[in-house]
Amino acid sequence: MSFKSINPATGVVSAEFSAHGDADMERLLEQAWTGYRAWSVTPMEDRTAFLIRLADLLEQRADTYAALITSEMGKPVGEARAEVVKAASGARHFAEAGPRYLADEPVQGTAGTIIYEPIGPIFGVMPWNLPFWQVLRFFIPAAIAGNVVLVKHADLVQGAAQALEDLVRDAGGPAGLYTNLRVRRDAVSGIIADPRVRAVTVTGSTAAGRAVAEAAGAHGKKAVLELGGSDPFIVFEDADFEKAVSIGVVSRFSNNAQSCIAAKRFLIAAPIFERYCEAFARTASALPMGDPMDPATKLGPLAKADLVETTQRQIAEAVAAGGRVITGGKPKDGPGNFFEPTVIVGVDPDSAIAQEEFFGPVALMFPFTSEVEAVECANATDFGLGGAVWTSDPHRARRVVGQLEAGAVFVNDFVRSDPRAPFGGVKGSGFGRELGPLGARELTNPKLVWNLPA
């Protein structure tokens, strides 16, 4: 059994990787356990020094890693390089702030102190759409806390998976600190069940996350879930119109429109609805689409051929639900998984398709006539990852932000993650937090100690 890296811009197989067998798995699990016993007692200053070396290597190899990311999942090479640089900034942030995040915390008014201890080897099930950043944003806080990780990366980015393991080793990480597991989905439940694995985190679809959480719960193990999203992008009539259009296009179509946290449902005040849709469609259709290795490209291919089929099916269902395609709507002729940027208006907001997550270059546009209607529509999905509110009225912004069911809401900006701030969702978008002080402590044991000696 093997994994193949297929260039989504050409359809050509670029690499093949053999899967780990049962004997390999036992060896790797034992290596992780042995590595944890050593890393968990490694002084904090040595862990921070490791993260600085990791950041240095990421920056030095940014072009090489960017080309690898682009060849395996198709994102424009400029965005791929930015992903690697962002991961380096995350490592530097936790090298500087991690000791503060994890410092002993007195319980006010008592003799108690909370100390944040590592919990053991953590199993991560990771996606292909941000193959460096999403893995490292889990690994970096886990490592600074004294944990080690085992990672099942997505099938189509096994080159990135191996590169990440090599990166940790080259930065001076000891054996077992980062272990790459080349296994299929059917091996996940067995890995979770292994007593040497103490927690699990997954970034992926809602269905995959719930399956992992069920397996973790059966064994009494903690799970952190960062799952799908269908973020509302709410534009009131008093918003900065041009900026709301330009940022809206970036939020929907960056990363080839394959991000869980991204604008997907555009809720536009009725007085500006037609004008906004026309401007958005014009801007989206002008995005340079083509070879993702060309720095001028802004929209590359979808990562997998079956995503083209899924996007076609969703567009057809949207049209059946009253939608009208005002730009795009079909794959691009020629090799590769290219799909035109698509804008659809008129979909019934109560239809089944309006509740689905679109993981392709499709923006759904809905008008609203009141603040109440905007909030109701924004919350009318099982997702709750992010959201954006565009208005020049600070009182309205505060009211709407307080009513949105989401893990993060951005005012007059687009939703994104930042190493300094906690990231995660609610409802079908998961639970638990990554990044920031909450993420640093998420995969630790906050142990209460009474009368801790100074």
Side-chain angles (χ1 to χ4, degrees):
M1 187 174 67
S2 64
F3 301 89
K4 294 180 179 179
S5 291
I6 302 174
N7 189 321
T10 63
V12 174
V13 176
S14 57
E16 192 165 350
F17 303 85
S18 60
H20 286 135
D22 292 343
D24 295 319
M25 290 299 300
E26 174 56 31
R27 173 179 58 81
L28 293 172
L29 283 162
E30 187 58 29
Q31 176 180 274
W33 180 248
T34 301
Y36 165 65
R37 294 175 67 184
W39 185 251
S40 63
V41 295
T42 297
M44 179 61 78
E45 56 266 30
D46 292 342
R47 295 184 212 163
T48 59
F50 160 75
L51 289 185
I52 292 171
R53 293 193 299 271
L54 189 82
D56 289 342
L57 287 179
L58 283 165
E59 291 167 351
Q60 292 165 18
R61 301 174 180 180
D63 291 336
T64 299
Y65 289 154
L68 173 60
I69 291 169
T70 298
S71 70
E72 287 197 308
M73 60 77 58
K75 81 168 62 183
V77 70
E79 292 185 20
R81 192 180 193 284
E83 176 183 335
V84 177
V85 172
K86 182 175 183 177
S89 73
R92 294 198 189 283
H93 173 70
F94 278 92
E96 184 275 325
R100 183 174 72 253
Y101 291 158
L102 298 165
D104 296 349
E105 185 178 342
V107 180
Q108 293 298 321
T110 77
T113 302
I114 299 170
I115 61 175
Y116 294 96
E117 295 184 332
I119 57 177
I122 301 165
F123 179 39
V125 181
M126 295 288 112
W128 48 261
N129 59 329
L130 291 156
F132 267 64
W133 169 240
Q134 292 203 265
V135 175
L136 290 173
R137 80 180 188 195
F138 144 61
F139 167 71
I140 291 167
I144 195 68
N147 300 302
V148 304
V149 306
L150 304 110
V151 177
K152 180 217 170 299
H153 215 327
D155 293 359
L156 69 158
V157 290
Q158 287 299 309
Q162 187 59 56
L164 285 163
E165 184 177 59
D166 295 344
L167 167 70
V168 172
R169 180 201 62 218
D170 294 347
L177 175 57
Y178 184 109
T179 302
N180 178 37
L181 303 180
R182 291 195 296 271
V183 294
R184 299 290 185 187
R185 187 180 304 171
D186 57 8
V188 167
S189 59
I191 296 169
I192 294 172
D194 191 285
R196 290 165 291 195
V197 171
R198 297 297 177 83
V200 59
T201 181
V202 58
T203 300
S205 70
T206 298
R210 287 174 174 171
V212 168
E214 182 177 0
H219 297 280
K221 297 182 181 180
K222 183 170 187 174
V224 175
L225 309 183
E226 196 276 279
L227 309 179
S230 186
D231 295 355
F233 191 92
I234 306 171
V235 183
F236 288 93
E237 60 270 27
D238 61 348
D240 181 329
F241 184 87
E242 298 300 331
K243 189 175 180 182
V245 170
S246 61
I247 296 298
V249 169
V250 170
S251 185
R252 173 71 287 239
F253 297 106
S254 63
N255 204 46
N256 295 343
Q258 298 169 123
S259 295
C260 52
I261 190 159
K264 292 173 185 172
R265 295 175 298 130
F266 290 79
L267 314 181
I268 313 300
I272 61 170
F273 181 73
E274 288 189 13
R275 179 180 166 223
Y276 185 91
C277 293
E278 290 172 1
F280 186 99
R282 183 171 59 252
T283 305
S285 62
L287 291 171
M289 179 169 61
D291 179 5
M293 287 301 297
D294 183 344
T297 295
K298 296 299 182 184
L299 188 61
L302 297 177
K304 303 183 292 180
D306 62 359
L307 285 172
V308 174
E309 299 170 2
T310 298
T311 302
Q312 287 180 296
R313 186 264 302 169
Q314 289 182 307
I315 290 172
E317 291 184 13
V319 170
R324 177 170 58 91
V325 176
I326 62 174
T327 192
K330 60 184 185 298
K332 181 183 176 184
D333 293 335
N337 306 327
F338 293 92
F339 206 102
E340 297 173 341
T342 302
V343 179
I344 304 177
V345 300
V347 175
D348 180 354
D350 296 323
S351 63
I353 191 62
Q355 314 307 314
E356 283 193 22
E357 178 181 24
F358 279 73
F359 223 64
V362 180
L364 299 183
M365 301 285 178
F366 302 93
F368 65 83
T369 58
S370 69
E371 187 178 303
V372 170
E373 184 184 4
V375 170
E376 289 179 349
C377 188
N379 291 337
T381 75
D382 188 41
F383 299 108
L385 195 53
V389 178
W390 287 77
T391 178
S392 60
D393 182 344
H395 301 292
R396 169 185 278 161
R398 282 185 173 274
R399 285 195 307 270
V400 174
V401 164
Q403 297 175 75
L404 293 182
E405 298 169 347
V409 181
F410 283 55
V411 178
N412 298 328
D413 207 340
F414 67 99
V415 183
R416 59 192 181 276
S417 60
D418 186 297
R420 300 164 294 185
F423 179 82
V426 296
K427 302 196 303 185
S429 293
F431 50 77
R433 292 295 180 267
E434 298 176 316
L435 304 175
L438 299 183
R441 299 168 182 169
E442 185 74 52
L443 294 170
T444 65
N445 170 27
K447 179 188 287 183
L448 173 67
V449 180
W450 209 259
N451 296 326
L452 179 69

